[in-house]
Amino acid sequence: MPARVVVGAQWGDEGKGKITDILAESADVVVRYQGGSNAGHTVVVGSNSFKLHLIPSGILHESTLCVMASGTIIDPICLADEMIGLRERDITCDNVRISENAHVIMPYHRLLDGLQEESRGAGSIGTTRRGIGPTYTDKTRRMPRSIRMVDLLDQGVLRDAVAAQLAQKNVIFQEMYGHAPLSVDEVIEEISGALPIVTPYVTDARAIIRGCLSRDEQVVLEGAQGTFLDLDYGTYPFVTSSHPVSGGACLGTGVAPTEIGEVIAVVKAYTTRVGAGAFVTELEDATGENLRELGAEYGTTTGRPRRCGWLDGVALRTSAELNGATGLAVTKLDVLDELETIQIATAYDIGGERVDRMPENLDHMEDARPVYEEMQGWQQPLGECKKVADLPAQARAYLDRMTELADTAIWAVSVGPEREQTVAF
Ligand code: IMP
């Protein structure tokens, strides 16, 4: 059975966690393919709300393996905390698997991320300060070698690698930021409590995924963040350091492009973004404030208020193409319930020219003005809708317009946080 990819179609926080959780029910394995503890998924089951950063959203289904593949980066302290928290709520986490090749977010990466962001002042990227950029930088720099999960299994290898890293990092800490140097002992001490909790799950992740594919089992590849935070296709430099687009699923897991059958692009019914960078449909007024409050748009990882705005149809069209979307999972449609009218940007005006794709040269994004189309709101609660026919005509018209703009059919619509509040198409 070909693999399914779940990808964020916007700037992250689209609600991929809920969609992955639903798919995980029938999946044999859910694989996270990139990113680290910068992500934040909230999965709601009954009165329980689970906030996850690293562990794939499939974790709530005990018979589904939850793999963090080689494209992810792992903060062992964060992962151990997450596992302890889940165990306290009777979720064993025995179905977790971590790739030997996933690189490790070390305490000095977190420190460096914070120092870098502070020094950038007004020009900051607005990173999550979780050490993402510095870890992926070390991975691609190669020498001195970055630490991978497999290295945590051997104290000798770990000590040597930390020492080599600190020889470089301490120069940066001291000379650029006036920060005291770190010692090998204190770094190892800081992660030591987490190691017995996470290392038993370090394994050959590719062999697990390959086994599932060869047995014709259901494989779900879950992205973190979103398309326009992609290092190559996002609004650079205000992006993350990995590849959330669906192509990243192949790189991050070793699954070949020909083994992917479906790409579900998760798109929020409006737009949000955290951190700096272009946002053409941003609403810096009472309507934006209203969306933030109704949609509880505050970062899962950092608690920061998210920037809010109307649906950007130009971004949606571009995203559907970049990801090869086969279906749209529209989330948080119910947040728009009370609105009398709703705007969708169907094009950008850039210097008097009308464009319907995001420009490759993202400098032009700064000058882009949204060209809006107004649609009627439905002004009734959608939370109880169970099937397509239950959705009011105005809501269906809004979804139809999304389909036209993305040239992609709707796969499902979420009308509330609960699993049951999902309308299948
Ligand atoms: P980093 O990934 O922490 O380096 O942050 C880079 C940019 O990506 C910043 O604008 C962050 O706010 C944003 N970002 C990182 N992870 C997420 C996420 O899970 N949701 C939304 N934005 C994110």
Side-chain angles (χ1 to χ4, degrees), residues 11-13 38-40 113 125-129 132-133 225 229 239-240 274-276 304:
W11 279 270
D13 308 314
N38 46 348
D113 199 0
I125 300 172
T127 76
T128 57
R129 302 186 180 212
I132 306 302
Q225 290 84 48
L229 290 175
V239 293
T240 192
V274 272
R304 287 181 288 179

Side-chain angles (χ1 to χ4, degrees), residues 89 131 153 175-176 258 266 311 420:
R89 293 151 108 175
L153 304 176
E175 291 186 3
M176 289 184 69
T258 45
V266 185
L311 182 73
E420 299 70 35

Side-chain angles (χ1 to χ4, degrees), residues 6 15-24 264 266 329 331 411 414 422:
V6 177
K16 295 175 292 295
K18 172 174 168 175
I19 303 301
T20 307
D21 172 62
I22 289 169
L23 289 173
I264 297 167
V266 185
T331 59
W411 177 82
S414 168
T422 312

Side-chain angles (χ1 to χ4, degrees), residues 275-318:
F279 186 170
V280 178
T281 60
E282 183 167 16
L283 292 166
E284 291 175 283
D285 58 9
T287 311
E289 186 63 35
N290 197 27
L291 286 175
R292 183 176 306 117
E293 292 316 311
L294 289 170
E297 297 294 354
Y298 294 88
T300 314
T301 302
T302 59
R304 287 181 288 179
R306 295 178 184 143
R307 300 159 67 194
C308 295
W310 297 120
L311 182 73
D312 182 340
V314 179
L316 178 59
R317 183 184 291 120
T318 310

Side-chain angles (χ1 to χ4, degrees), residues 32 35-40 53-54 73-75 78-79 82 105 110 128 130-132 225 301:
R32 168 105 180 256
S37 39
N38 46 348
H53 298 288
L54 273 165
I73 52 176
I74 309 292
D75 182 332
C78 174
L79 180 57
E82 221 162 276
I105 304 175
R110 270 186 277 118
T128 57
R130 297 297 181 107
I132 306 302
Q225 290 84 48
T301 302

